[in-house]
Amino acid sequence: MFDFVEWSHAMAQFHFLRPWWLIAFFPFIGLLLIKWKSESQVSNWQKKLPNHLRVALTVGENGLKRRLPIVILSIIIALAILVCSGPTWKKQPSPFHQDQTPLVMVLDSGSAMQEKDVAPDRLTRAKQKMEDILAQRSGGLNALIAYAGSAHLAMPLTEDSSVFKPMLEALGPDVMPLAGKDSSLAIPLVEHQLKGSPNAGTILLIKNDVNASSVSAWRQALNKEMPETQLIILAAGNVDAPSDIPLRLDALQQLTSEVNGSVITMSVDDSDVKTIIRRVENHASLNTKNSQPWQDMGYGLLIPIAVLLLLWFRRGWIVQWACAGILINSIALSALLLNSHSAYAVPVKSTAQPEAAQVAASFSFGDKVMQAWLDLWMTRDQQGQWYFNRGNYLKAANHYDDPLHKGVAFYYASQFDAAYKVLNQNHDFNMQLHAASALARGRQYVAARALLSKLVHQQPDNKIAQHNLVIVVAVIKEINEFSKSQSEGMDASQDASHELGSEPQTSDGAETQVTQEALLDDKMTADQLLESDASIDKWFQRVESDPKQFLQSKFSIQYQQQREEK
């Protein structure tokens, strides 16, 4: 199904990686006109014959059928020029970063969501859709805001769906401190969650209606304060089913039309969920500013070129046109091979072979023949990409000469130490950033912190480096706190735990879980809970009571504080 919203976003980013190839259209069009004109001319001896005799005595095809080889060849040449020019509209995904695209879900928790025009009711169906989104966004950052007559943060941005789901299930009209239906009250909470994120975020607003004042507030916020944020509305309800509070698609569409958003209606299958996830990912890919190279999308045009070349096996075409067609196709393939692996960085020969690359491999006769064949047609980097695309990452790493591609392959093969050794050879900022990611994935958090601190000092405005540094510092802090809590339970004479210090270390403490007894001993008051989102996120792991009772108390306290501030 054609998605006009995604198409318009892609066209806004459309450009050519090698636009100078488009100059080839000028001589191509000139030669085409000359050839077409020559094919249309009648020879001198034919001009001397009457028209009826010339038609009867001339052997061969006339009209368009005679010029069909020229038409087909022109299409092939035009496609080949486009392939060589490198059309693109999205960037390559980075293997070093998990999906950190923020998605803020804003759920209408008022009485209107209890209508039963969708089974079993709007609120339950909305929760089911949100759980499906969580399940398919593995590693993505998700936040939950509930609103009725007031708006409240139920869950700050987190990757942990196991903590998210209990809070989602607890939401309902009986939890909200004030009845109502004003979605604009959630705007300040949304802005706070998306503030400082290096990736372009998305707001998923789940509701059945919107009034004029809310439209104006959302338009002001999205067009001025959050211009890079996408709004998606999941329409809760069914326009074809009777309801006391009907679904107003026209009002929802009016809002999205003014902020360049989109409305998605609930479906009985997961097509609506897939559409939402696809738009979240595409929006982040198109709008997030990062150092990743643009992805060459011209490869798909090689398929119609190959299909059209099959026509040259027809009798009468080979002698006249095959050489020209094969030459054009060869030029296109050569241009792609020469340019497909040069987008990351200037190739630098590896000076230090990691241990994984030094392992002597025993090659069979078939392997040697295969390698000899590949050497005839592809460079080492192209061979590495060939193995990489087939999931043989370690073999790909051993073939790559380009250090960045080699490091990426080792990273995919979970050889993080080898990846760091390769990436650390070059002092280029992007390679150093990837090297820090390899250290972090290898659980050398202190070394990763030191390298990221250095990179942030070099480029203070680089949001990716800042974001990664915050994560690594948080992991180190969590390990230190856990070590401290463990040491307090031991004999004072045993110096069993200590600060991680400044020496490079590898630690798996981030995966260690505190026992339930330790969590129960550390309680937080309501005032401490409301101090920050970090406190809320921490407390969610320690909550002893029913989530619904917890949210009801929390929202009530927040509502009282909001009234006092006014």
Side-chain angles (χ1 to χ4, degrees):
M1 182 178 177
F2 179 75
D3 194 324
F4 178 77
V5 174
E6 293 183 14
W7 179 85
S8 61
H9 289 171
M11 289 301 100
Q13 301 284 338
F14 182 84
H15 65 282
F16 293 98
L17 297 176
R18 300 172 291 276
W20 55 87
W21 273 96
L22 297 175
I23 300 176
F25 272 111
F26 292 104
F28 159 63
I29 293 174
L31 292 174
L32 176 62
L33 293 176
I34 293 174
K35 182 64 178 176
W36 190 275
K37 186 176 181 180
S38 65
E39 291 287 329
S40 303
Q41 291 178 349
V42 181
S43 60
N44 292 330
W45 71 269
Q46 289 179 333
K47 292 179 180 179
K48 296 179 181 180
L49 293 174
N51 186 53
H52 66 284
L53 291 178
R54 184 171 67 249
V55 173
L57 296 175
T58 302
V59 178
E61 298 170 341
N62 295 314
L64 180 60
K65 192 173 183 180
R66 180 184 177 185
R67 300 189 182 94
L68 186 58
I70 299 179
V71 175
I72 301 298
L73 180 61
S74 300
I75 296 174
I76 291 177
I77 294 176
L79 292 176
I81 294 174
L82 290 176
V83 170
C84 295
S85 62
T88 183
W89 54 85
K90 66 179 182 179
K91 291 190 174 183
Q92 297 180 11
S94 172
F96 292 98
H97 298 93
Q98 294 180 342
D99 180 15
Q100 295 293 315
T101 304
L103 173 62
V104 180
M105 305 183 192
V106 183
L107 177 63
D108 184 351
S109 300
S111 58
M113 294 296 287
Q114 293 181 316
E115 292 294 310
K116 301 183 182 299
D117 50 349
V118 292
D121 58 66
R122 292 175 180 175
L123 185 60
T124 303
R125 177 68 70 86
K127 291 179 180 179
Q128 293 171 351
K129 296 295 182 181
M130 295 168 75
E131 288 183 358
D132 291 342
I133 293 173
L134 291 174
Q136 296 190 33
R137 291 195 76 232
S138 178
L141 293 173
N142 304 287
L144 176 60
I145 296 174
Y147 77 90
S150 59
H152 306 274
L153 179 66
M155 174 60 62
L157 284 173
T158 179
E159 300 176 5
D160 192 351
S161 59
S162 63
V163 179
F164 195 104
K165 289 181 180 178
M167 299 301 125
L168 174 61
E169 294 172 356
L171 289 176
D174 54 337
V175 173
M176 305 306 294
L178 182 65
K181 196 178 178 60
D182 190 357
S183 62
S184 63
L185 297 173
I187 293 177
L189 299 176
V190 172
E191 291 179 351
H192 180 70
Q193 290 300 305
L194 297 178
K195 183 179 180 181
S197 174
N199 300 314
T202 296
I203 303 170
L204 177 61
L205 183 59
I206 305 173
K207 63 189 289 102
N208 71 300
D209 192 5
V210 61
N211 55 40
S213 60
S214 294
V215 170
S216 177
W218 280 107
R219 180 177 62 246
Q220 173 78 13
L222 290 171
N223 291 338
K224 295 186 177 180
E225 279 119 20
M226 298 182 289
E228 294 184 354
T229 302
Q230 173 186 216
L231 175 65
I232 299 176
I233 297 181
L234 180 59
N238 185 354
V239 293
D240 298 324
S243 174
D244 295 335
I245 309 176
L247 169 63
R248 291 188 56 204
L249 274 179
D250 54 344
L252 301 179
Q253 290 171 348
Q254 178 188 355
L255 170 57
T256 55
S257 65
E258 296 188 17
V259 297
N260 197 23
S262 57
V263 176
I264 299 174
T265 56
M266 286 185 175
S267 62
V268 295
D269 56 10
D270 63 346
S271 59
D272 50 355
V273 173
K274 291 181 178 179
T275 301
I276 291 171
I277 293 175
R278 186 172 66 251
R279 290 186 180 179
V280 170
E281 294 174 349
N282 290 345
H283 177 73
S285 176
L286 293 173
N287 293 277
T288 299
K289 298 178 181 179
N290 56 45
S291 58
Q292 288 302 114
W294 291 93
Q295 185 172 350
D296 194 333
M297 306 301 291
Y299 292 100
L301 295 177
L302 292 177
I303 296 176
I305 290 177
V307 172
L308 291 174
L309 281 175
L310 293 176
L311 295 174
W312 264 258
F313 289 93
R314 296 186 61 192
R315 186 179 61 181
W317 285 40
I318 295 178
V319 175
Q320 296 182 10
W321 306 104
C323 293
I326 294 173
L327 177 62
I328 293 299
N329 195 43
S330 300
I331 292 174
L333 289 172
S334 301
L336 282 176
L337 291 175
L338 289 173
N339 291 281
S340 60
H341 301 294
S342 60
Y344 272 104
V346 178
V348 179
K349 291 289 184 178
S350 177
T351 59
Q353 295 293 332
E355 296 177 2
Q358 294 175 351
V359 178
S362 58
F363 294 99
S364 64
F365 177 76
D367 292 333
K368 293 180 180 179
V369 172
M370 182 64 177
Q371 186 60 52
W373 175 256
L374 292 176
D375 288 338
L376 286 175
W377 304 104
M378 293 189 289
T379 66
R380 297 287 293 178
D381 283 336
Q382 292 163 1
Q383 294 175 37
Q385 189 66 34
W386 190 82
Y387 285 113
F388 188 92
N389 293 339
R390 283 154 182 79
N392 196 338
Y393 303 123
L394 191 57
K395 201 167 185 178
N398 292 328
H399 279 78
Y400 275 127
D401 284 333
D402 182 84
L404 181 55
H405 286 88
K406 183 185 286 288
V408 170
F410 276 128
Y411 188 95
Y412 265 90
S414 298
Q415 301 287 335
F416 301 117
D417 186 55
Y420 169 73
K421 291 179 180 178
V422 173
L423 294 166
N424 198 42
Q425 295 175 39
N426 194 308
H427 294 291
D428 176 75
F429 183 86
N430 291 328
M431 292 191 66
Q432 289 290 300
L433 187 60
H434 293 330
S437 297
L439 284 174
R441 289 300 300 271
R443 298 179 182 174
Q444 299 186 41
Y445 301 120
V446 177
R449 178 181 63 182
L451 182 53
L452 286 169
S453 299
K454 176 183 175 183
L455 295 176
V456 171
H457 180 73
Q458 291 177 2
Q459 294 189 14
D461 297 331
N462 190 285
K463 292 184 178 180
I464 295 178
Q466 293 175 358
H467 180 72
N468 292 352
L469 179 59
V470 170
I471 293 177
V472 171
V473 169
V475 171
I476 293 175
K477 181 179 179 181
E478 182 178 351
I479 297 174
N480 287 339
E481 290 178 351
F482 174 72
S483 300
K484 182 179 178 180
S485 65
Q486 290 291 93
S487 63
E488 289 176 353
M490 299 180 180
D491 189 81
S493 62
Q494 297 178 351
D495 189 13
S497 63
H498 54 83
E499 180 86 13
L500 282 176
S502 58
E503 294 299 322
Q505 298 183 35
T506 300
S507 171
D508 57 358
E511 295 182 358
T512 305
Q513 295 185 358
V514 182
T515 62
Q516 184 66 23
E517 291 78 13
L519 293 179
L520 294 176
D521 289 339
D522 188 6
K523 299 182 175 63
M524 300 177 67
T525 65
D527 291 336
Q528 292 172 334
L529 174 64
L530 295 174
E531 285 180 357
S532 65
D533 295 337
S535 300
I536 297 174
D537 192 31
K538 185 176 181 181
W539 199 87
F540 280 151
Q541 303 174 24
R542 311 178 182 188
V543 61
E544 303 173 57
S545 60
D546 178 65
K548 178 173 288 189
Q549 182 182 0
F550 161 67
L551 288 179
Q552 192 172 24
S553 300
K554 173 191 167 186
F555 290 174
S556 178
I557 294 172
Q558 288 180 338
Y559 178 63
Q560 293 297 329
Q561 290 183 343
Q562 293 171 4
R563 292 186 62 183
E564 291 175 1
E565 291 175 358
K566 292 181 180 179

